[in-house]
Structure formats: structure tokens, C-alpha cells
Amino acid sequence: FLSKLRFDATLASYPDARAEIMRTLPKRVKTYKKRSKRTISRPTGLVVNPVVVSRVAQSRLPRGVVHPDRIFMKAWAFLLLFFVVWNVFWVPFRACFTRGVAFDANMTWLLVVDYLGDVVFVADIFLRSCCVAFYDGDALVTRRRRIWENYASFTVHVFASLPFDVLYFISGKSPLQTLALWRLPKLVRLMDAPALSKRC
């Protein structure tokens, strides 16, 4: 680095450069002050969390990839948790206490909620297999191949989403208890409840 005396001597030997610097210096200082106001300064005495810095720096994602910390993902986790609790409560209840009870039109709302939950679970498989980024330590992973490889519960979730209860309608008039028994695989999703509750 040049000392102040040597810098002044260098400028004196190039009068044109000195005039140009002095002419543009106020504008550069003004621009620098504007830029500094847009940045968030770190308060004295605070320690910056490198995880937070990394997540903010990598918040720009490729098209079609969803950030795991977005509000949409929190709402999605709440919706999944609702249908998990729905199945955990209603499937065993119908399997135990509806013996000999035939299905009628008054119970249509049960099927509507059941199959709405099935649609949400299938959509979740699609999202988690290719669209939802994840954290590997402090790094945000957005590559679709890595997202697919990280989805360890894919086989279990596909099994839980298979429409076994279609056999209930094929078999004709069967008691409501039979429908509940065909929906028992839906309870496999209960293993996701702790993670979903944390994401909410």
C-alpha cells in the first residue's frame, strides 16, 4: 500500500488524474453512502450466526424449487399433520366400533375428507421428491437429484398412499368396518407426526 505522502506525490506528478479524482470523488462518496444505508449493519458485540448468513445468501432458488423455510411449507406441514391426526383417530374408531354398520349417504362427508387427505398425501410425495430444497448442514441443497436422493421415506409413503380401499367398493355392499380395515396402511404416516409438528 502507498503511504499518504507517496500517494500525494504520485497525484502531483499526474495533474490530469488528480483533477479527475477530485471531480468524481464527491459523487463516489454519495453513492457509497446510499449503498451503505441499504445494507444491514451488525451491531457491536453481537455474533453473526453463520447458518443464518448462509440461508439468507442462498435464498434464491431455481425455478420450481421451494425453500423449506417459506410460510407455504409451514402451512403445508400443518395440513399434513391435520390429515395424519384425522386418520389416526377415525380409522381405528371405524375399525373397532362400526361392526355391522352399513355405509349410507349420511356418511359421505367422511369419504370426502378421507380422499381429500389422500390427494394431499400424494401431492406431498411429488413435492418432497423433486420440489422442496433441504439443508445439508449449513448448505441449502437445491439440485433435484439430491432432493430425490434425500427423500428416504418415498417407498413407505407410496405404500401408505395406495388406494387399497377401492376393493371395498368393488366387493359390493360391505360393512363400514371393512372400509376402515382397508385404510389401515394410512396410519404409517403417523411416523411423520414429530417432524411435521416441528415444521409447523
Side-chain angles (χ1 to χ4, degrees):
F1 295 96
L2 293 176
S3 64
K4 186 177 184 304
L5 293 177
R6 186 169 296 180
F7 179 73
D8 291 339
T10 303
L11 284 181
S13 60
Y14 297 96
D16 294 338
R18 181 184 181 90
E20 180 66 19
I21 292 175
M22 297 306 295
R23 184 179 65 83
T24 59
L25 185 61
K27 184 178 180 180
R28 292 181 180 181
V29 172
K30 188 176 181 180
T31 303
Y32 175 77
K33 288 182 178 179
K34 287 183 179 180
R35 289 180 180 176
S36 63
K37 288 180 181 179
R38 298 174 187 170
T39 59
I40 301 175
S41 59
R42 183 179 64 176
T44 306
L46 294 181
V47 179
V48 176
N49 189 342
V51 176
V52 175
V53 174
S54 175
R55 293 185 178 185
V56 172
Q58 302 182 52
S59 60
R60 293 186 178 181
L61 303 180
R63 185 175 181 180
V65 177
V66 184
H67 198 288
D69 294 336
R70 293 290 173 86
I71 297 178
F72 168 76
M73 293 308 302
K74 295 182 181 296
W76 185 256
F78 179 81
L79 185 63
L80 288 171
L81 186 61
F82 169 79
F83 285 114
V84 167
V85 174
W86 171 272
N87 285 328
V88 167
F89 177 78
W90 278 108
V91 171
F93 179 84
R94 282 179 278 178
C96 296
F97 301 106
T98 58
R99 184 177 182 180
V101 178
F103 180 81
D104 57 26
N106 295 327
M107 300 178 183
T108 304
W109 66 274
L110 286 174
L111 289 184
V112 171
V113 180
D114 283 344
Y115 293 123
L116 181 60
D118 293 347
V119 170
V120 170
F121 288 144
V122 172
D124 181 62
I125 293 174
F126 173 76
L127 283 175
R128 293 183 60 180
S129 62
C130 63
C131 297
V132 181
F134 68 96
Y135 287 106
D136 185 7
D138 296 344
L140 183 66
V141 179
T142 59
R143 292 181 57 189
R144 294 185 187 275
R145 183 176 181 84
R146 290 285 309 279
I147 293 173
W148 166 257
E149 293 172 351
N150 186 64
Y151 189 14
S153 304
F154 174 76
T155 304
V156 176
H157 287 173
V158 169
F159 171 76
S161 299
L162 291 176
F164 294 109
D165 44 348
V166 173
L167 299 174
Y168 169 82
F169 299 100
I170 296 176
S171 63
K173 293 184 178 180
S174 301
L176 190 61
Q177 184 183 39
T178 306
L179 176 61
L181 294 175
W182 282 118
R183 292 188 61 83
L184 284 177
K186 309 296 179 185
L187 301 182
V188 174
R189 280 274 186 168
L190 180 60
M191 68 180 187
D192 296 336
L196 291 173
S197 61
K198 291 180 181 179
R199 285 161 54 188
C200 292

